[in-house]
Amino acid sequence: MTSILNAPHFHDEDAAYAYVETHLWPNGPVCPHCGNCDAAKIGKLNGKTTRAGLRKCYECRKPFTVKIGTIFEDSHAPLRYWLQAIYLMCSSKKGISTRQLQRTLGVGMKTAWFMGHRIRHAMAPAAPGKLGGPDVTVEADETYLAKSPKTRKAPGTALNAKPAPQVFSLIERGGDIRSMYLDDRNVRGAMVKHLDDRSRLVTDGSTVYKFVTDKHESVDHSKYEWARGDVHTNTLEGFFSIFKRGLVGVFQHIDKKHLDRYLAEFDFRMNTRSKLGIDDVQRTEIAIAGFAGKRLQYKTAH
Ligand SMILES: [Zn+2]
């Protein structure tokens, strides 16, 4: 038995490029400058002093690597360290802190922070459509990120203080999850935007879910009713529990403006969960395949 961490792409820069190219260019190299993908018109530069993965397009005469147009562009960190970071994030159920990345990779704090956030950003779906559909059951639930589940405000906070941040999620049974930080957005607005109204909706007894769709069933937690047949929100309660344990144990404090990116990371792992037959290596490959064209969105996010 061989450790996954022995894989050459974690240690050798040329192997790291070859690995990323396999997943980002499944049909061969594509020139990011002019779109040329004719293998006969793209050369590989192999000089002794040439950077790893360097190619030249004979259509537009420009050089490029697989990093251009992705979250790796403009990063001085070796690609093999990026692959280590992505693997760690994809294989840790509760995520991995910036400090842990810093220690494990032996990079600076700022580099570790940027790597973590770029990877999180790239884990978000590129074109998120609505969840659910005809004959699809979708759970909806929301939770407060307070220290205790019983208090929405920490003890001693002023009465007019803002309540703890609230997170809202939708999940298709056996399918995808989508989570968001409810800033000034509200549950109803989020549902209109993210839920296909032909879905069958199951929720707790909260009044915010009433009349969203006529195919709505709920359990009444205030009457100690947690499940009635398949009407329950246990899938989301399990997810919230993992997210909160991640927050407490791994991330300590999360700036609210980054909360959506952490949620994208936890959503990504949930959408590629082992229950769906996806292992850590496959999850890492799915993450990398999704990195194409994610760079600009990262810039606008700042
Ligand atoms: Zn070109």
Side-chain angles (χ1 to χ4, degrees):
M1 192 178 163
T2 319
S3 163
I4 285 163
L5 299 176
N6 277 343
H9 59 259
F10 289 135
H11 309 282
D12 176 74
E13 199 62 2
D14 285 324
Y17 272 88
Y19 182 83
V20 172
E21 287 172 3
T22 304
H23 297 289
L24 272 184
W25 290 336
N27 303 313
V30 183
C31 171
H33 306 295
C34 71
N36 170 29
C37 53
D38 182 350
K41 291 181 183 163
I42 293 173
K44 192 157 196 249
L45 304 177
N46 285 319
K48 260 198 172 160
T49 53
T50 310
R51 281 180 290 142
L54 193 63
R55 289 168 197 262
K56 183 160 179 174
C57 173
Y58 299 131
E59 278 286 317
C60 69
R61 320 293 308 164
K62 286 180 185 153
F64 65 93
T65 74
V66 73
K67 281 165 100 172
I68 294 182
T70 72
I71 57 162
F72 307 124
E73 191 175 348
D74 293 342
S75 163
H76 297 297
L79 200 54
R80 59 189 187 277
Y81 289 5
W82 275 98
L83 294 181
Q84 293 178 12
I86 296 161
Y87 181 76
L88 288 169
M89 285 173 72
C90 286
S91 58
S92 316
K93 198 168 183 182
K94 286 179 281 173
I96 184 156
S97 71
T98 300
R99 286 196 180 281
Q100 184 65 56
L101 267 187
Q102 182 197 3
R103 285 196 299 270
T104 306
L105 305 183
V107 297
M109 186 72 177
K110 213 176 154 188
T111 302
W113 192 89
F114 270 100
M115 285 174 120
H117 272 296
R118 285 187 181 204
I119 294 166
R120 261 169 220 121
H121 164 74
M123 283 174 163
K130 290 192 174 193
L131 291 189
D135 301 320
V136 180
T137 298
V138 176
E139 278 180 40
D141 201 4
E142 78 287 347
T143 190
Y144 285 93
L145 301 179
K147 290 241 152 56
S148 156
K150 287 179 185 153
T151 55
R152 293 177 182 185
K153 288 176 187 173
T157 42
L159 281 175
N160 62 354
K162 284 193 170 175
Q166 197 183 14
V167 165
F168 170 71
S169 294
L170 288 165
I171 189 169
E172 293 172 351
R173 287 274 167 80
D176 277 358
I177 190 168
R178 182 147 332 134
S179 305
M180 61 215 76
Y181 164 46
L182 290 179
D183 187 356
D184 43 6
R185 296 169 279 183
N186 59 54
V187 168
R188 219 157 246 274
M191 289 237 265
V192 170
K193 195 169 170 203
H194 297 283
L195 178 71
D196 184 321
D197 61 11
R198 294 166 299 175
S199 317
R200 171 178 176 249
L201 180 69
V202 294
T203 68
D204 62 20
S206 167
T207 53
V208 294
Y209 299 108
K210 274 193 180 153
F211 313 116
V212 173
T213 155
D214 51 5
K215 291 176 283 296
H216 174 221
E217 291 169 66
S218 61
V219 280
D220 192 346
H221 292 181
S222 69
K223 289 184 181 142
Y224 305 100
E225 182 191 45
W226 303 100
R228 193 177 60 252
D230 73 341
V231 182
H232 62 77
T233 53
N234 295 350
T235 324
L236 283 183
E237 272 157 38
F239 174 80
F240 290 151
S241 145
I242 293 166
F243 185 66
K244 287 179 181 180
R245 275 183 286 149
L247 287 194
V248 174
V250 175
F251 301 112
Q252 320 282 340
H253 296 284
I254 287 186
D255 194 325
K256 278 182 204 160
K257 68 176 191 247
H258 300 310
L259 203 49
D260 272 335
R261 254 183 259 150
Y262 284 99
L263 286 166
E265 176 193 349
F266 279 75
D267 278 1
F268 174 80
R269 280 192 298 262
M270 186 72 173
N271 290 339
T272 53
R273 55 196 178 272
S274 53
K275 222 177 170 178
L276 301 175
I278 297 165
D279 66 22
D280 292 345
V281 171
Q282 289 165 325
R283 189 173 306 113
T284 306
E285 291 169 355
I286 293 169
I288 293 169
F291 285 1
K294 285 282 174 66
R295 181 176 180 265
L296 272 179
Q297 292 168 21
Y298 178 81
K299 276 202 159 172
T300 48
H302 274 251

